[in-house]
Amino acid sequence: MVPDLRKAFNQSFTTEKYEAFLTDLHSKHPGAIEFRVAETPVFIDKSFTKKLTDACESIIDVITDPSFKKMTERAIPATDRVPNENDRSHMIAFDFGICVNEQNELEPQLIEMQGFPTLFGFQVYYPEVLNKHFDIPSNYTQYLGDYTRTSYLQDLKEIILGNVPVENVILLEIKPHEQKTRIDFYCTQEYLGIKPVCLTELIQEGRKLYYMNDGKKTEIKRIYNRVIFDDLQQQSAEVQAKGNILFEDLDVEWVPHPNWFYRISKYTLPFIHHPYVPTTYFLNEIKQMPGDLENYVLKPLFSFAGQGVVIDVTPADIEKVTDPENWILQRKVKYADVIETPDIPAKAEIRLFYFWKDGEARPVPTNNLARLSKGKMIGVRYNKDKEWVGGSFCLFENQD
């Protein structure tokens, strides 16, 4: 992305440096990082950063519109609707591919978005470790806007804890110590003091929830929610039965509220019109299918981690769909082979983190992660036995 920096990084890279970095990264919580960590960060200059944030601001215009909730009511499956929804998603993540347009110019293209947390804790820890082992220019930072490490963690703490004592706030997940993202839970606990708690460990008494905190039954007043309901539905009958607690009228605050996972999602894409947002249609609203279906991607609305996505769409794929109201057809984007590596170039996807604090009119950009790929799709399963792929982060050129 920034040729001089890419050349300098690649020339100074050694396997020994990378191995020392990985050893350091894994040392704090051995065995907690199951995903591959890439060899390099992604360098982003001012102009491309502005393209990313301009696209996000246009999307945020839709999300903050007074009619947004009404527009997205159908986004929430009736079986997954949780009571006591608030007026905002405290956290939003926007996923962009680094793509190439018809003029052979690099541009971002929105892939997905989610009103849900991501690796907000790990992406503080991980870049700090990398900076110890590789030379990073002083005028580049992982943070966006005016954020620094201190202000980012301060706002993350304010959003997640609110005015509630730390012992009354939990990070809720299904089998948190078995999740591939558990390193983020441990980093979050270290930074904020809240404990990861399994859904099956919740204790309900009327409208109140409790958990065992070092042997003491402690009331839960605020939940930092990491449960994805699609994941819950894949669990055993016993775990799913325990999950029914979440759909009751409970005396707890959600951060973010689970309904926002659906409202700000693939469901929102057809309502957004921007050069950096691929044209998207609800499948049931298409009067006549495009003649060039091969240039589209078919996606189920209610799945995660790329499950069910059809890349090379044919009329037969369309005919197989029995619930077209739950699918979208999205214009394909062309990922750029943009990150030079020792063998073949890698593609990159960028996830921008946004915080939306109570009392603020709009969410603001804060931090990021990136994923590098040499496969057909971004993701671990498509990049086995490859190098210079996996989890990463962007370093943005300072805007001032």
Side-chain angles (χ1 to χ4, degrees), residues 299-313:
K299 295 182 178 181
L301 286 174
F302 306 116
S303 73
F304 71 109
Q307 295 182 15
V309 174
V310 181
I311 298 294
D312 299 311
V313 185

Side-chain angles (χ1 to χ4, degrees), residues 53-208:
T53 53
D54 283 356
C56 289
E57 290 305 313
S58 179
I59 299 166
I60 289 167
D61 286 342
V62 175
I63 294 170
T64 56
D65 188 282
S67 65
F68 182 73
K69 274 199 169 184
K70 182 178 180 181
M71 186 168 44
T72 56
E73 273 301 288
R74 198 178 68 81
I76 309 166
T79 55
D80 292 354
R81 188 178 290 270
V82 175
N84 304 314
E85 183 180 333
N86 64 351
D87 65 349
R88 70 190 61 215
S89 179
H90 290 98
M91 299 150 174
I92 307 174
F94 297 104
D95 289 351
F96 290 90
I98 300 178
C99 298
V100 60
N101 62 21
E102 293 179 358
Q103 289 73 44
N104 208 35
E105 300 166 332
L106 293 179
E107 64 180 21
Q109 285 288 329
L110 185 75
I111 306 302
E112 286 191 32
M113 54 186 164
Q114 51 187 23
F116 193 76
T118 184
L119 306 183
F120 290 146
F122 180 63
Q123 293 301 124
V124 175
Y125 167 64
Y126 158 36
E128 289 177 348
V129 177
L130 185 134
N131 286 351
K132 289 161 55 180
H133 295 270
F134 295 92
D135 293 327
I136 300 301
S138 59
N139 62 326
Y140 278 73
T141 175
Q142 77 209 60
Y143 297 106
L144 289 153
D146 296 325
Y147 274 95
T148 62
R149 179 187 192 275
T150 300
S151 60
Y152 173 86
L153 286 175
Q154 180 179 326
D155 277 4
L156 184 65
K157 184 174 184 178
E158 179 183 333
I159 289 170
I160 293 178
L161 267 63
N163 297 315
V164 175
V166 66
E167 64 269 18
N168 300 118
V169 183
I170 64 164
L171 184 159
L172 185 65
E173 177 56 291
I174 302 164
K175 302 176 183 176
H177 303 291
E178 298 178 19
Q179 293 287 341
K180 288 187 176 180
T181 53
R182 61 187 179 274
I183 181 63
D184 181 64
F185 308 158
Y186 304 152
C187 290
T188 303
Q189 182 174 4
E190 180 180 339
Y191 294 135
L192 307 186
I194 64 173
K195 294 183 177 181
V197 174
C198 182
L199 174 68
T200 61
E201 298 168 352
L202 297 179
I203 302 166
Q204 183 182 12
E205 295 182 4
R207 296 185 68 241
K208 294 189 180 297

Side-chain angles (χ1 to χ4, degrees), residues 32-46:
I33 304 174
E34 288 191 25
F35 51 87
R36 192 180 195 282
V37 177
E39 285 81 343
T40 180
V42 180
F43 300 103
I44 305 289
D45 63 20
K46 292 180 184 178

Side-chain angles (χ1 to χ4, degrees), residues 4-18 39-41 43 133-137 342 388:
D4 291 346
L5 294 182
R6 172 54 51 210
K7 183 178 180 181
F9 185 93
N10 287 17
Q11 286 179 343
S12 66
F13 178 87
T14 66
T15 302
E16 290 74 21
K17 276 188 187 179
Y18 176 60
E39 285 81 343
T40 180
F43 300 103
H133 295 270
F134 295 92
D135 293 327
I136 300 301
W388 291 63

